[in-house]
Amino acid sequence: MSTYTGPSHVFIVMGVSGSGKSTIAEEMAKQMGWPYYDADNFHSDSNKEKMKHGIPLNDEDRDPWLHKMHHAISEWISDNENAVLACSALKKTYRDILSAKLSQRVWFIYLKGSKELIKERIMKRTGHYMNPILLDSQFDTLEEPDKNDSEAPRTLTVGIEGTVQEIVKQCIDHVKERLAKHGQTPESAAAASASISPRNTSA
């Protein structure tokens, strides 16, 4: 366990499939020296098979997946480990599960883009089990964070029209703003994770 005593934080980069969650989250983690995790690794084999064959997941499919991630997030924070997690987190109820009892340590960055742009990106992608025909169901399920409700203080919305580096900079600037309130920087907070190897999160 790390000897770091400052508060740890988990930033969840969210959005529909094809919005760039994994790319942005992984690059953020790399630049900050934080561990990176992907929600895909928490899915059961049966969920992956459904998505591969174009079968949308329902809440019953997602429930154990969400609770498994919440357990992992709780462990990271308990161990004073900062982390960046790429996760769709499409509904408010899903985000509430992920951040339950951890609201001052778990933050969301919503990557927002048009269906047309995201569909174009998905069609160019290879080696991923998410079937492109599921995009409509993802947008149907998506509940964008509301700027006027309780999610506003814990969420940043970022457009995906820019380059990866432009988006990552905007996201890291947001992280810096959050950490500054605790007298931290991404570099100093990285000490929380320096002695902790990323866990095996495979289902």
Side-chain angles (χ1 to χ4, degrees):
M1 180 180 295
S2 172
T3 58
Y4 180 77
T5 57
S8 54
H9 302 267
V10 175
F11 286 84
I12 299 177
V13 181
M14 59 161 287
V16 300
S17 179
S19 60
K21 299 183 298 293
S22 298
T23 299
I24 299 301
E26 188 169 14
E27 184 61 24
M28 282 177 62
K30 179 181 177 182
Q31 290 191 25
M32 296 190 298
W34 290 17
Y36 161 72
Y37 298 94
D38 196 313
D40 286 349
N41 293 327
F42 292 84
H43 271 303
S44 65
D45 289 340
S46 60
N47 279 2
K48 292 178 181 178
E49 280 299 309
K50 278 190 170 184
M51 290 186 285
K52 181 179 179 180
H53 292 92
I55 303 172
L57 300 182
N58 55 35
D59 285 352
E60 185 177 349
D61 296 320
R62 290 189 175 102
D63 188 68
W65 171 65
L66 291 163
H67 281 91
K68 185 176 181 180
M69 282 189 289
H70 176 262
H71 178 73
I73 292 168
S74 298
E75 284 194 335
W76 303 336
I77 290 174
S78 177
D79 287 347
N80 286 328
E81 176 182 348
N82 296 281
V84 181
L85 170 68
C87 176
S88 55
L90 297 175
K91 287 186 178 182
K92 183 179 185 300
T93 52
Y94 302 167
R95 299 188 286 274
D96 288 342
I97 291 173
L98 293 172
S99 61
K101 299 181 180 179
L102 304 168
S103 59
Q104 297 305 307
R105 295 290 176 263
V106 178
W107 315 95
F108 294 90
I109 298 175
Y110 168 45
L111 300 184
K112 181 174 182 176
S114 69
K115 184 185 294 187
E116 292 73 21
L117 174 59
I118 292 173
K119 183 176 181 180
E120 179 182 338
R121 292 183 177 183
I122 288 179
M123 298 304 292
K124 294 178 181 178
R125 191 166 63 177
T126 60
H128 194 277
Y129 55 76
M130 173 65 77
N131 192 310
I133 68 174
L134 289 177
L135 185 59
D136 286 341
S137 71
Q138 290 242 318
F139 270 97
D140 289 341
T141 302
L142 175 64
E143 295 173 359
E144 293 187 329
D146 191 334
K147 295 180 180 179
N148 300 313
D149 73 3
S150 60
E151 290 198 281
R154 63 177 181 176
T155 307
L156 171 72
T157 297
V158 179
I160 64 169
E161 294 78 14
T163 66
V164 169
Q165 289 304 320
E166 287 171 344
I167 297 169
V168 168
K169 182 182 183 303
Q170 189 172 351
C171 292
I172 292 180
D173 285 346
H174 175 66
V175 173
K176 289 178 178 178
E177 181 181 338
R178 291 291 183 190
L179 295 183
K181 295 179 180 179
H182 298 276
Q184 298 170 271
T185 65
E187 293 76 18
S188 66
S193 307
S195 62
I196 304 174
S197 298
R199 299 170 178 81
N200 182 359
T201 57
S202 298

